[in-house]
Amino acid sequence: MGESDDRYLVPGLIRGLDVLQAFTPERPSLSLSDIARHLGVSRSAAFRSVYTLASLGFLLQDRREERYALGPAVLRLGHGYLATRELVEIALPVLEQLRDESGWSAHLAVREGSSVLYMLRLPALNGLNSIVHVGSRLPAAATTMGRVLLADLSEAALIKLYRDEDFSRAPGRSPRSQAALLKQWDADRGREMIVQVGEFETGMASAATPVRDMTGAVVAAINLTRLVTGQPSPQVPDDIQAQVMQAAARLSCLLGWRSG
């Protein structure tokens, strides 16, 4: 089956992306005729795609010369990708050191809606691994890093985010209602460290803290996790919590944050 036979593909979206790919460093500006030739369609067929992209800020029109160039919306998309990639590259050596010194598994995550997305995973060298992998998405309200990231939201933003949430499917001991979620969020807002033991994954202890950028905004979270099954009183030791805090402070400093 060819791509044209795939009923799930959106022809207009494909054409719009083809328009954007017509622009290169060698051809930073194009006329409508240039774009039509690139697409292999008439000027009138190309016009609708170009007009839509321009109205959304993905293209800029020079009316005097009747030419188009890439607009700021494209740059914002690229900046988001590069910023995430930069965060991972900067965080990797910090988390490697944290993992090596603590003996626990270290992770970095960002929030995507009501989920937490794992961007880095440094498993403990003793082979006792958690269930998550890079690219895993877990319910934010149920995990330490997710709770750290949710705590940075306003109450209105949190309510809007979970407006259509089905709390009956909440895992572990995470909130089972919006009221319970708000209570957890209210308690988390005053903390720089969120600790859980067995609340999401049986026998797993976790401690997480926020990572801030140069503006002080919370852009990610890091944690340490370890299986503690069989211990007489499972907990996250104070020295482990301190190491997570110190690593987050180093990472935030590398991102330009200056506290105090």
Side-chain angles (χ1 to χ4, degrees), residues 3-258:
E3 285 192 353
S4 60
D5 298 321
D6 191 333
R7 65 190 179 92
Y8 293 108
L9 294 176
V10 181
L13 177 58
I14 293 172
R15 179 170 290 181
L17 294 173
D18 283 343
V19 170
L20 296 179
Q21 292 180 68
F23 295 86
T24 67
E26 294 75 28
R27 297 190 304 169
S29 69
L30 298 170
S31 67
L32 181 59
S33 296
D34 293 333
I35 295 171
R37 280 194 294 271
H38 173 80
L39 297 176
V41 299
S42 66
R43 279 172 52 94
S44 59
F47 175 76
R48 292 186 65 183
S49 295
V50 170
Y51 178 85
T52 300
L53 290 168
S55 67
L56 295 174
F58 288 94
L59 292 180
L60 292 176
Q61 182 182 14
D62 184 333
R63 295 182 181 277
R64 185 178 60 183
E65 297 188 8
E66 297 184 346
R67 298 182 72 82
Y68 295 86
L70 293 177
V74 173
L75 299 178
R76 285 195 296 271
L77 289 176
H79 173 74
Y81 167 75
L82 292 173
T84 300
R85 181 176 177 181
E86 180 184 23
L87 172 62
V88 169
E89 292 176 348
I90 293 174
L92 179 58
V94 176
L95 262 65
E96 284 180 333
Q97 182 179 352
L98 177 62
R99 184 270 314 271
D100 294 345
E101 293 179 351
S102 67
W104 292 41
S105 297
H107 307 87
L108 168 83
V110 297
R111 184 178 63 82
E112 281 198 349
S114 61
S115 298
V116 59
L117 172 64
Y118 282 71
M119 305 296 295
L120 270 178
R121 172 179 178 266
L122 283 299
L125 299 178
N126 60 13
L128 297 176
N129 297 330
S130 66
I131 63 173
V132 300
H133 303 278
V134 171
S136 293
R137 286 177 172 81
L138 299 179
T143 62
T144 55
M145 289 195 291
R147 289 171 60 183
V148 164
L149 295 166
L150 290 176
D152 193 51
L153 296 177
S154 68
E155 182 175 355
L158 185 74
I159 292 173
K160 181 178 180 181
L161 181 62
Y162 282 88
R163 180 174 51 201
D164 300 319
E165 184 75 8
D166 181 2
F167 288 96
S168 66
R169 299 182 180 181
R173 298 200 295 270
S174 56
R176 290 291 195 276
S177 67
Q178 189 175 91
L181 175 67
L182 286 168
K183 183 178 180 180
Q184 176 179 274
W185 165 84
D186 188 53
D188 290 346
R189 280 175 64 81
R191 301 171 180 167
E192 280 294 307
M193 172 72 61
I194 303 295
V195 176
Q196 292 182 176
V197 179
E199 293 180 39
F200 176 68
E201 185 181 353
T202 302
M204 184 66 71
S206 176
T209 194
V211 174
R212 301 179 184 275
D213 66 9
M214 63 186 302
T215 69
V218 174
V219 293
I222 63 171
N223 78 355
L224 285 175
T225 64
R226 184 177 181 178
L227 285 169
V228 292
T229 303
Q231 295 186 11
S233 56
Q235 59 182 333
V236 178
D238 291 344
D239 63 319
I240 292 295
Q241 296 187 43
Q243 288 181 63
V244 179
M245 294 283 288
Q246 291 163 8
R250 289 199 300 274
L251 181 51
S252 296
C253 184
L254 290 171
L255 294 175
W257 170 240
R258 298 291 184 268

